[in-house]
Amino acid sequence: MILRRPSAGEISSDNGRKTPLAGESLESVPWYKRIPLRLHLALLTALMVAIAVGMVVLVTYLAVSSALTANLDQQLERQASVLLERADESLTPSELEDEIATFKSYNPLTRVSISPPGWAFSSGDPIPIGGDFIDAGDRSAQTIRTVGQERVIAVRDDLGFTVVVGQDMFELRQLTSSLGSMLMAFMALGIAVSAVAGVVVATAGLNPLWRLQRAVDYVTRTDDLRPIPVIGNDELAQLTNSFNAMLATLGESRQRQAQLVGDAGHELKTPLTSMRTNIELLMMVYRPGAPNTISEQDRKELEHDVLAQMEELSRLIGDLVDLAREDVPETVSEEVSLDAIVGSALVRVRRRRPSVEFDVQTIPWLIKGDEFALGRAAVNLLDNAAKWSPEGGCVRIRMLQLSDSWVELSIADSGPGIPVEDREQVFERFHRAAEARSMPGSGLGLAIVKQVVLRHSGSIKVGESADGGAEMIVQLPGYPDEP
């Protein structure tokens, strides 16, 4: 199995085949995107080696060819210089012929021509001089050129003696051709070896990815969220660590979901059972022909109890929905006024708790976040404080700027307060103290508040108010609302 990330125009189907996106056929995907990753790596390795070996072969060929040509030039230049020195001592044509014959007896592959100053002809082989002479020092000048398959060097001294030597380059070119063929064979062998090595390296390098893929397939197939063993400390090990962290987060989310469902089922069971009993009793009373066994007062109390239980059930379901919403990460982020949110929440709570006084001192403060979630948290805090305050009690709301980027919102009530040992547990889901069992509520309000505050990078803690009640202290980031 080849592990490859689907391209931008593909998705992976359940059977592992690469399926194009809507409106795009498999044939429209470029061929190079359909090549397996292992072959991609092997081809890339072979290409890189081919480029490197090709550059080495080219440089080697040019360097060796230039060195052989330079060596031939030096040899011909030495021969021409020796003949030029000998020609200065031999001025007669017969002596020049003898000198040339002696030279060619030792150098049978070299042609030579000598032209003394003032002569209208030259002795030796018919070699055209040609080319522009360049000063070579030692009172001489020379020219070097290639005529057909022959390398020709002409040397002239300051007296006018000219010596021209030439040698066929067939053997030299044959040698360089053999060298080029050998280097090309070496390059082909290197590419083949690099391709095989690329496949081996790609296979070995992708083994951890295949192991990770098998682990992912196992999680998908069995729903087992156990962490994957981490081997080494390289990038693939870091990828495995990241995947394990994702599995851990998924496991925690699943555990919270299961806990929420279990707690919700437990909490919903009590009001549903009580409401069902009361409804069945009312149905028996209103059944035609049934004896009237309860008084009018008892009937009204039953109806009141049913309505109260329905309201409690509705509130519990709303809290569960809010809590589930807070479990899902939200991206809503806008600039909102915290003091305006507190004021809006205060209007709603005052309507429900008219017997409690509210002492409010706020400051203009802006925060980036979810206005709906912050409003729900403020309502829960104020409603909780008003619920625990006695009739005629006072709920004190204060906003205090701690720094240029932090504000503190404190809400103190006049109730019995929260014991120190219970202050951390009040933010747990469905937690209700023993003295709160007789009061309406689901035990989810403060849990929702904590989740909202944490999602806005803030903090919340429980303290004691000046008159012995409870004080909720919330710290949130933001900045002052400048007029």
Side-chain angles (χ1 to χ4, degrees), residues 424-439:
E424 291 297 327
Q425 299 178 2
V426 295
F427 299 109
E428 296 179 1
R429 299 177 179 183
F430 300 104
H431 173 77
R432 303 187 70 187
E435 57 272 13
R437 297 292 179 179
S438 59
M439 301 187 66

Side-chain angles (χ1 to χ4, degrees), residues 302-320:
L302 276 177
E303 293 176 351
H304 181 270
D305 287 345
V306 169
L307 292 176
Q309 288 159 1
M310 291 179 63
E311 182 180 355
E312 180 183 356
L313 186 61
S314 175
R315 186 183 301 110
L316 177 58
I317 293 175
D319 288 342
L320 288 173

Side-chain angles (χ1 to χ4, degrees), residues 148-201:
Q149 295 288 333
E150 190 177 36
R151 190 70 169 173
V152 178
I153 291 183
V155 180
R156 176 183 295 168
D157 64 5
D158 53 354
L159 298 178
F161 277 98
T162 303
V163 177
V164 183
V165 292
Q167 183 173 326
D168 196 339
M169 299 179 66
F170 174 76
E171 293 184 356
L172 176 63
R173 291 186 176 179
Q174 190 176 28
L175 178 61
T176 55
S177 178
S178 300
L179 175 65
S181 300
M182 183 178 66
L183 291 175
M184 289 297 294
F186 171 73
M187 183 175 68
L189 179 63
I191 294 174
V193 172
S194 66
V196 175
V199 172
V200 175
V201 172

Side-chain angles (χ1 to χ4, degrees), residues 135-151:
D135 186 14
D138 297 333
R139 300 180 302 172
S140 65
Q142 67 180 19
T143 177
I144 304 175
R145 59 198 179 94
T146 302
V147 181
Q149 295 288 333
E150 190 177 36
R151 190 70 169 173

Side-chain angles (χ1 to χ4, degrees), residues 91-144:
L91 300 178
T92 64
S94 59
E95 290 176 342
L96 287 177
E97 292 292 342
D98 293 340
E99 189 67 33
I100 291 174
T102 302
F103 174 81
K104 295 188 71 173
S105 65
Y106 289 102
N107 304 279
L109 299 179
T110 303
R111 296 200 306 156
V112 62
S113 173
I114 300 177
S115 298
W119 286 25
F121 62 92
S122 60
S123 296
D125 300 310
I127 306 176
I129 298 177
D132 297 328
F133 283 87
I134 301 175
D135 186 14
D138 297 333
R139 300 180 302 172
S140 65
Q142 67 180 19
T143 177
I144 304 175

